[in-house]
Amino acid sequence: MDAKKLEILMTAVDLGSFSKASEVVGYTQSGLTHLVNSLEREIGFPLIVRSHNGISLTEQGRELVPAIRQFLQANANLENRIQTIAKQQTETIRIAAYASMAMCWMPEILYRFRRICPNVDVDLRMVDHALEPFELLEEGKTDVIFASRQDVGKCEWTPLYQELLYAILPKNYPLGGRSEFPLKEFEGKDFLMPYGRFDIDVHSTFGEAGVKANEQTVYVDDETVIRMVGKGLGISMMSELMIRGNTDDVRCVPVTPKSIRELGMGTEKGVALSENMQKLKDCVLEYIREAERRKGVGANCFTKL
């Protein structure tokens, strides 16, 4: 049975007129009449009574209407489900993330996501500076971001983790048995400043503490900065995930007063998540909960000294 014919029949019946129905369905009146006649021949008995006042259903037609409407609803549900599955098979989720989060979090998260959504492609992009994820999201060039909270752009923000900031010091730095590094001690010292606007979090911390270090911006990656500290070329401050286990030649000590940056997940403001995006978010939240139960996300990325 042709669902399209039945749908047009119900439109004509609801409007009570072939002429009115023809305007809605895009058929000529004669074409619509021919379609209904064809449907009646398929079924084997009349469905419509025609009069000067319009059209109405025959007794047999009235008996069929509930089943026809049920059939059309089931057909619509089937088509919607087919479209959903087809979209899932072709969907690509674009992710923009800080390098530290991409390296430490994303492999396990994407492994979990792939197990439940094997037909969804993921385009993972590591960004060059702290504000880039928010810019990409605002420009519609990515679907989800993983970054630290910033006062730029507008997005649906999901807090994930409070990440500690650590002083990065040479092995021979005279700590005198201390397990923390006072922020005031950065004052006047040669400070290797991370590039790519990752200085935002550092400057915010220094500003709150009223600290002014002798800043030296270095246009190299985090690992190189750590190695430079290890060679006595200055000291630095980084977050847990930025250190990523590169601690052989340096000492990593939490700063005091305790300083953190909030890591989170951002999506487009005011836009409901697709089914697959929600599954990705569920994988992220599950991973974070499990990591926190294992006494901290950072513990998976480097050895705290």
Side-chain angles (χ1 to χ4, degrees):
M1 187 64 61
D2 189 335
K4 186 64 177 178
K5 289 182 181 180
L6 292 174
E7 185 178 343
I8 291 174
L9 171 66
M10 289 296 96
T11 300
V13 168
D14 291 341
L15 294 175
S17 165
F18 279 161
S19 60
K20 292 179 181 178
S22 66
E23 295 176 4
V24 174
V25 300
Y27 280 65
T28 63
Q29 187 169 341
S30 61
L32 197 153
T33 299
H34 175 75
L35 182 147
V36 172
N37 290 339
S38 171
L39 182 61
E40 288 179 326
R41 284 195 298 271
E42 287 181 41
I43 292 175
F45 49 80
L47 299 172
I48 295 294
V49 176
R50 299 159 180 83
S51 69
H52 294 298
N53 295 325
I55 62 170
S56 59
L57 288 165
T58 64
E59 181 178 349
Q60 296 96 327
R62 286 194 297 272
E63 289 183 22
L64 285 183
V65 163
I68 292 174
R69 294 195 189 280
Q70 186 177 13
F71 170 79
L72 291 175
Q73 183 60 55
N75 187 69
N77 292 340
L78 175 61
E79 290 184 354
N80 288 338
R81 189 57 188 162
I82 290 172
Q83 291 176 2
T84 298
I85 293 173
K87 183 178 179 182
Q88 289 174 345
Q89 291 179 327
T90 59
E91 184 176 0
T92 297
I93 296 178
R94 300 166 299 170
I95 299 175
Y98 290 173
S100 57
M101 300 173 77
M103 292 179 183
C104 288
W105 291 4
M106 298 315 300
E108 175 63 23
I109 289 171
L110 295 183
Y111 167 73
R112 298 179 184 206
F113 179 66
R114 178 59 59 87
R115 288 192 304 176
I116 60 175
C117 296
N119 297 316
V120 179
D121 292 330
V122 175
D123 181 3
L124 176 60
R125 171 177 180 172
M126 291 194 298
V127 299
D128 294 325
H129 65 84
L131 304 184
E132 186 178 2
F134 300 92
E135 295 168 355
L136 291 171
L137 187 63
E138 191 169 4
E139 294 167 4
K141 295 179 179 178
T142 193
D143 303 305
V144 56
I145 64 173
F146 291 89
S148 64
R149 183 189 286 272
Q150 304 291 342
D151 294 327
V152 296
K154 295 181 180 179
C155 67
E156 298 292 345
W157 181 256
T158 302
L160 297 175
Y161 183 64
Q162 300 296 309
E163 186 185 28
L164 286 173
L165 296 181
Y166 282 72
I168 312 301
L169 311 169
K171 280 284 190 181
N172 61 357
Y173 189 93
L175 279 172
R178 293 173 296 171
S179 60
E180 296 179 322
F181 188 84
L183 284 170
K184 286 292 186 180
E185 203 162 327
F186 283 110
E187 185 77 39
K189 290 193 170 57
D190 291 338
F191 185 90
L192 303 179
M193 179 66 75
Y195 83 105
R197 299 310 315 275
F198 290 102
D199 61 334
I200 294 174
D201 298 317
V202 174
H203 280 143
S204 175
T205 300
F206 279 174
E208 292 176 6
V211 171
K212 186 170 179 59
N214 181 22
E215 297 179 10
Q216 302 176 39
T217 301
V218 286
Y219 297 91
V220 295
D221 60 19
D222 302 334
E223 184 177 354
T224 303
V225 170
I226 292 171
R227 290 180 178 178
M228 291 174 68
V229 171
K231 294 298 182 181
L233 299 176
I235 61 178
S236 191
M237 181 165 61
M238 295 181 181
S239 64
E240 295 176 41
L241 302 191
M242 292 172 71
I243 298 170
R244 296 194 301 272
N246 301 307
T247 59
D248 290 343
D249 300 322
V250 295
R251 304 183 74 173
C252 303
V253 184
V255 298
T256 183
K258 181 179 179 180
S259 295
I260 61 172
R261 67 173 187 172
E262 182 179 281
L263 301 182
M265 171 182 173
T267 55
E268 188 176 354
K269 185 73 173 179
V271 176
L273 298 182
S274 69
E275 182 178 347
N276 289 326
M277 282 280 285
Q278 183 60 54
K279 289 179 179 178
L280 174 63
K281 182 177 180 180
D282 292 341
C283 287
V284 171
L285 295 176
E286 178 187 52
Y287 169 72
I288 294 299
R289 284 193 296 266
E290 290 181 7
E292 288 178 342
R293 285 197 295 268
R294 292 194 301 268
K295 298 183 180 179
V297 174
N300 297 321
C301 300
F302 73 100
T303 302
K304 297 180 182 178
L305 302 179

